[in-house]
């Protein structure tokens, strides 16, 4: 298929989103266009500041920067960073500000660190009280980004973030300054450590008590061993892949390891580009125009084709809303029917992102989807007009950074395949509907024989209770669907329940039929256990999950996209309850009580900012016929 012949379903979904978003998107573009015109007409933003205001803005700068900031000849570039040295993914950012400043200066601009944003690690907080702040941190990061950019000192921004909530938060915040160009500057994944197959087996052995804590810690330390992103294909690396497909990275920048010559060259190139695409040059590229309906659909397609993190069924909705675009789970469901699964990265396979990069990486992945008409090629990116630019991969030749189009296909079909020979004909994420509500199911790591399960419910109001039942042997020798409720955004911040995966996987391997249904999250590391997650409406809002009792038959059919309780719920009253404010305290949780009261449902992005009102009217009937790919 010609790259310009867009798949009819992709086209229809895009048109539907555009029509649904018409009012909100128009208002957004009017605001950003007015701000952009002011930049073009009046010069660098700081030129409109009063003398005292501007003096505050450069008081601590080095003499050369101070002189440049006093004048209006050079554009100002904001650096917004998530650096901390506790988290491997963000530790490389320690050296980025001076590197970026030098490159911006060489390109004719002046850069300042405008602010920092928090970066918490879901890997550290799994199963802990801090995990209940994780999803809320996305909106905190968005607000922190807005604060950083609020000083009217800047003409573009360089956004430094990698992991789970950090990248969506940075983008949401930056989109509220959509007249400013923005480039994400990745840090790259750590080199490969302990093979994923061994890591998964070791975790199950620990869950069964077959190895000691010291042995388990030694294995984990071999997996997570150096600066850089964790190498499995979870939310952090899904973030990176989606941001490149949206045209917000330089081509091929996503999966280059930290502290390499190529990584440094790409970082410097991003700084130069941030100067070139300001309103004061010939290639003005405002962020609000890059992130349009086509870019959002491209991100959805890339998520499905890569079997990416289920967290993005929340984040994409929230990111789109920040650009005035209304995305729904129906859009993802329809796209999933025509988007094939092209990658196998852990937990969907044994390879990691370094193996994906070696197999051809983003250039092959994007090129294949473009050729199949599954991505919109006619989009604006930070590299220029057209996603065809992202068919090229960067390299160093005689010390200079060059991009060359990759014409060869995948170097490893066990990791990355062409559209004509996919791992699966449909996407790695399915949307489920039924009398329990709507939920998300990640199917890319689930064996076909486990896609359908009908079994009695075992109901838990806390993940700790399920873990205790497993340890006591109460779940042995029986088929069941674990119902873990009061884990939604309003109940306790919608924590990831990834800590439940190893024990449930143990039972699955013993031959039991096991699944989980929850209004919480299971993260980008969701594995082989069939799961219906992000269930909406949540238990705390009186969703049907609050009416389920032990022994009720539940049918989870990820293949057909249905989730049903085979029991009469009429006349029942909810059991259990979310934690009270007094109980939901400690580890700073009490500071976020206002978030619990204002956060929207999972289907609308679980955001405290809310989404466009048209989302609320979009129901499960808002679908299209998948038909053929044309």
């Amino acid at each position: 298929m010609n790259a310009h012949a867009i798949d009819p379903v992709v086209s229809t979904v895009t048109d539907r989103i555009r029509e649904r978003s018409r009012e909100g998107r128009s208002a957004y573009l009017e605001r950003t266009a007015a701000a952009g015109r002011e930049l073009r007409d009046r010069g660098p933003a700081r030129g409109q500041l009063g003398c005292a205001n501007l003096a505050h803005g450069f008081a601590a700068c080095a003499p050369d920067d101070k002189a440049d900031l006093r004048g209006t000849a050079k554009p100002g570039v904001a650096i917004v960073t998530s650096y901390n040295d506790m988290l491997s993914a963000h530790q490389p950012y320690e050296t980025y500000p001076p590197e970026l400043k030098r490159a911006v200066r060489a390109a004719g601009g002046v850069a300042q660190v405008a602010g920092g944003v928090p970066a918490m690690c879901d890997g550290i907080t799994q199963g802990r009280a801090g995990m209940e702040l994780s999803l809320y941190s996305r909106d905190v990061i968005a607000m922190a980004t807005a604060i950083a950019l609020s000083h009217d000192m800047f003409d573009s921004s360089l956004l430094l973030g990698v992991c789970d909530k950090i990248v969506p938060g940075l983008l949401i915040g930056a989109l509220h300054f959509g007249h400013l160009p923005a480039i994400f500057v990745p840090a790259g994944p750590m080199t490969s450590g302990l093979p994923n197959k061994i890591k998964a087996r070791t975790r199950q052995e620990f869950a069964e008590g077959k190895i000691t804590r010291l042995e388990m810690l030694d294995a984990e330390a071999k997996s997570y061993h150096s600066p850089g992103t964790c190498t499995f294909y979870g939310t952090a690396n899904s973030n990176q892949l989606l941001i490149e497909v949206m045209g917000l990275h330089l081509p091929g920048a996503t999966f280059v390891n930290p502290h390499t010559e190529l990584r440094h060259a790409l970082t410097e190139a991003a700084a130069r580009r941030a100067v070139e695409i300001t309103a004061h040059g010939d290639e003005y590229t405002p962020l609000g125009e890059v992130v349009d309906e086509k870019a959002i659909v491209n991100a959805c397609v890339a998520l499905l084709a890569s079997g990416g993190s289920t967290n993005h069924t929340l984040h994409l909705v929230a990111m789109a809303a920040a650009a005035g675009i209304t995305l729904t789970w129906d859009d993802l469901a329809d796209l999933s029917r025509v988007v094939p699964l092209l990658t196998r990265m852990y937990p969907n396979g044994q390879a990691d992102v370094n193996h994906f990069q070696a197999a051809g990486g983003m250039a092959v992945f994007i090129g294949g989807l473009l050729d199949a008409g599954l991505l919109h090629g006619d989009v604006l990116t930070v590299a220029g007009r057209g996603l065809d630019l992202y068919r090229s991969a960067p390299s160093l030749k005689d010390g200079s950074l060059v991009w060359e189009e990759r014409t060869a296909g995948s170097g490893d079909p066990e990791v990355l395949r062409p559209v004509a020979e996919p791992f699966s004909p449909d996407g790695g994420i399915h949307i489920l509907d039924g009398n329990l509500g709507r939920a998300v199911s990640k199917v890319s790591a689930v064996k076909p024989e486990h896609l359908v399960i009908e079994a009695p419910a075992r109901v838990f109001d806390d993940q700790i209770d399920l873990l205790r039942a497993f340890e006591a042997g109460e779940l042995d020798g029986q088929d069941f669907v674990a119902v873990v409720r009061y884990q939604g955004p309003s109940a306790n911040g919608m924590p990831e329940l990834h800590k439940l995966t190893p024990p449930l996987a143990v039972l699955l391997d013993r031959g039991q039929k096991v699944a989980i249904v929850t209004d919480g999250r299971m993260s980008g590391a969701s594995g082989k256990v069939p799961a219906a997650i992000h269930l909406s409406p949540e238990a705390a809002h009186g969703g049907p999950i609050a009416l389920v009792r032990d022994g009720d038959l539940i049918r989870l059919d990820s293949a057909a996209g249905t989730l049903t309780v085979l029991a009469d719920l009429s006349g029942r009253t909810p059991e259990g309850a979310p934690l009270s404010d007094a109980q939901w305290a400690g580890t700073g949780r009490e500071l976020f009580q206002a978030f619990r009261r204002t956060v929207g449902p999972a289907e609308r992005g679980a955001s405290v900012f809310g989404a466009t009102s048209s989302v609320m009217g979009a129901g499960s009937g808002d679908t299209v016929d998948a038909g053929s790919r044309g």
Side-chain angles (χ1 to χ4, degrees):
M1 180 182 287
N2 187 289
H4 301 291
I6 295 297
D7 177 275
V9 171
V10 174
S11 178
T12 298
V13 170
T14 307
D15 290 343
R16 185 174 72 199
I17 294 171
R18 184 180 294 110
E19 182 58 33
R20 185 195 302 134
S21 308
R22 189 175 300 280
E23 183 178 349
R25 179 66 175 169
S26 295
Y28 175 82
L29 289 176
E30 286 176 11
R31 291 195 303 272
T32 56
R37 285 193 297 272
E38 186 170 345
L39 277 181
R40 277 189 173 280
D41 293 343
R42 297 187 179 183
R46 64 183 181 277
Q48 305 308 307
L49 294 176
C51 293
N53 307 66
L54 183 57
H56 276 82
F58 60 62
C61 290
D64 287 347
D65 285 347
K66 187 175 290 190
D68 288 337
L69 290 169
R70 288 175 66 102
T72 57
K74 295 184 177 182
V77 178
I79 301 170
V80 183
T81 178
S82 61
Y83 163 72
N84 64 67
D85 63 9
M86 178 186 68
L87 305 182
S88 64
H90 298 90
Q91 188 274 345
Y93 285 140
E94 179 182 13
T95 61
Y96 274 44
E99 187 175 354
L100 292 169
K101 288 180 180 182
R102 288 192 296 270
V104 166
R105 169 166 288 283
V110 57
Q112 294 174 283
V113 176
V117 301
M120 68 180 298
C121 178
D122 294 357
I124 295 174
T125 57
Q126 284 290 340
R128 311 290 299 174
M131 186 69 232
E132 296 177 6
L133 303 183
S134 173
L135 184 57
Y136 292 156
S137 78
R138 181 194 66 194
D139 293 359
V140 172
I141 291 161
M143 291 186 281
T145 303
I147 290 169
L149 297 177
S150 68
H151 296 91
D152 292 332
M153 288 282 292
F154 307 112
D155 302 286
S156 68
S157 63
L158 291 161
L159 305 176
L160 278 54
V162 176
C163 287
D164 296 355
K165 315 307 172 295
I166 296 91
V167 167
L170 284 166
L171 182 53
I172 290 168
L175 280 167
H176 286 272
F177 296 78
H179 61 292
L180 298 180
I183 299 178
F184 278 84
V185 188
M190 67 177 69
T191 56
S192 301
L194 188 73
N196 288 310
K197 187 175 183 178
I198 297 175
K199 178 172 67 175
R201 186 181 68 225
T202 305
R203 286 176 174 174
Q204 289 192 202
E205 289 174 348
F206 182 66
E208 294 178 276
K210 294 180 177 179
I211 62 173
T212 67
R213 173 181 168 83
L214 187 60
E215 290 172 311
M216 185 71 251
L217 181 58
D218 183 57
E220 296 288 9
K222 291 176 181 176
S223 298
Y224 309 111
H225 60 90
S226 69
T229 317
C230 305
T231 59
F232 69 88
Y233 190 53
T235 310
N237 286 315
S238 296
N239 278 338
Q240 301 305 301
L241 183 142
L242 298 191
I243 287 294
E244 178 157 342
V245 173
M246 293 174 76
L248 295 172
H249 278 169
L250 292 182
T254 294
F255 294 128
V256 176
N257 300 123
H259 305 309
T260 60
E261 291 186 22
L262 181 57
R263 177 84 276 158
H264 290 304
L266 285 164
T267 299
E268 292 176 352
R272 292 193 296 271
R273 191 63 181 161
V275 175
E276 294 168 353
I277 61 177
T278 66
H280 318 298
D282 297 328
E283 298 182 75
Y284 179 40
T285 309
L287 175 63
E289 292 184 19
V290 174
V291 182
D292 63 4
E293 297 89 344
K294 290 181 178 180
I296 291 295
V297 169
N298 282 352
C300 292
V301 168
L303 176 71
L304 295 165
S306 63
S309 170
T310 53
N311 281 326
H312 279 290
T313 63
L314 308 174
H315 298 327
L316 281 170
V317 173
M319 292 188 294
I325 299 167
T326 304
L327 176 71
T328 74
W329 283 0
D330 292 315
D331 302 320
L332 282 162
D334 288 336
L335 291 169
S336 183
R337 297 185 183 103
V338 298
V339 174
L341 180 64
L342 303 183
T343 75
R344 283 278 191 224
M345 291 182 279
Y346 185 82
N348 309 332
Q350 299 308 317
D352 63 25
V353 295
N354 292 311
H355 302 127
F356 170 79
Q357 175 79 348
M362 296 301 295
V364 172
F365 179 75
I366 291 174
L369 290 170
L370 281 169
D371 289 339
L374 292 168
L375 289 177
H376 293 285
D378 54 335
V379 292
L380 183 63
T381 80
V382 298
R385 171 65 65 175
L387 200 59
D388 276 334
L389 293 166
Y390 289 75
R391 295 175 182 269
S392 297
S395 63
L396 291 174
K397 287 194 173 181
D398 299 323
S400 298
L401 180 63
V402 297
W403 277 270
E404 294 179 322
E405 182 174 349
R406 181 181 170 110
T407 56
S410 171
D412 187 348
E414 295 304 308
V415 178
L416 174 60
R417 289 188 180 178
V419 172
E421 302 173 24
F423 291 104
S424 172
D426 59 2
I429 295 174
H430 290 181
I431 305 300
L432 311 181
D433 281 291
N435 61 1
L436 280 177
R438 308 195 82 195
V440 172
S441 180
K442 183 171 180 176
V443 299
S444 50
V446 178
K447 292 181 179 180
E449 60 267 29
H450 295 151
L451 290 175
V452 180
I453 176 174
E454 184 176 309
R458 285 294 306 268
V459 181
F460 303 92
D461 291 346
D462 192 299
Q463 62 176 319
I464 298 300
D465 294 334
L466 191 156
L467 291 171
R468 287 172 178 162
F470 170 79
E471 291 167 359
E474 296 172 9
L475 305 178
D476 294 349
Q478 58 184 287
D479 298 340
F480 67 93
V481 174
V483 176
V484 186
R485 61 195 181 189
Y486 296 107
Q487 306 299 309
S490 292
N492 64 349
M494 205 179 186
E496 290 181 354
L497 307 177
H498 182 49
K499 203 174 184 71
L500 301 180
T501 299
L504 292 176
V506 167
L507 301 177
L508 193 71
D509 287 350
R510 290 176 182 170
Q512 295 173 227
K513 293 181 179 178
V514 178
I516 184 170
V517 173
T518 181
D519 47 9
R521 297 182 291 130
M522 289 291 284
S523 91
S526 302
K528 62 187 180 182
V529 178
I533 63 178
H534 305 180
L535 184 63
S536 184
E538 63 175 289
H541 287 171
I545 189 175
L547 305 176
V548 176
R549 307 286 189 264
D550 279 341
D552 288 344
L553 276 181
I554 292 181
R555 182 176 176 84
L556 193 168
D557 188 338
S558 295
T562 58
L563 176 63
T564 310
V565 56
L566 304 175
D568 183 4
L569 304 183
S570 61
R572 293 186 183 181
T573 56
E575 286 190 346
L579 297 175
S580 67
D581 283 349
Q583 293 169 312
W584 200 66
T587 319
R589 289 178 295 176
E590 59 274 17
L591 296 173
F592 291 80
Q593 288 171 3
F595 279 47
R596 285 213 296 168
R597 295 187 179 95
T598 57
V599 68
E603 199 170 353
R604 289 195 282 137
S607 173
V608 299
F609 307 134
T612 53
S613 60
S614 56
V615 173
M616 299 182 69
S620 59
D622 188 16
T623 58
V624 296
D625 182 6
S628 67
R629 293 197 188 120

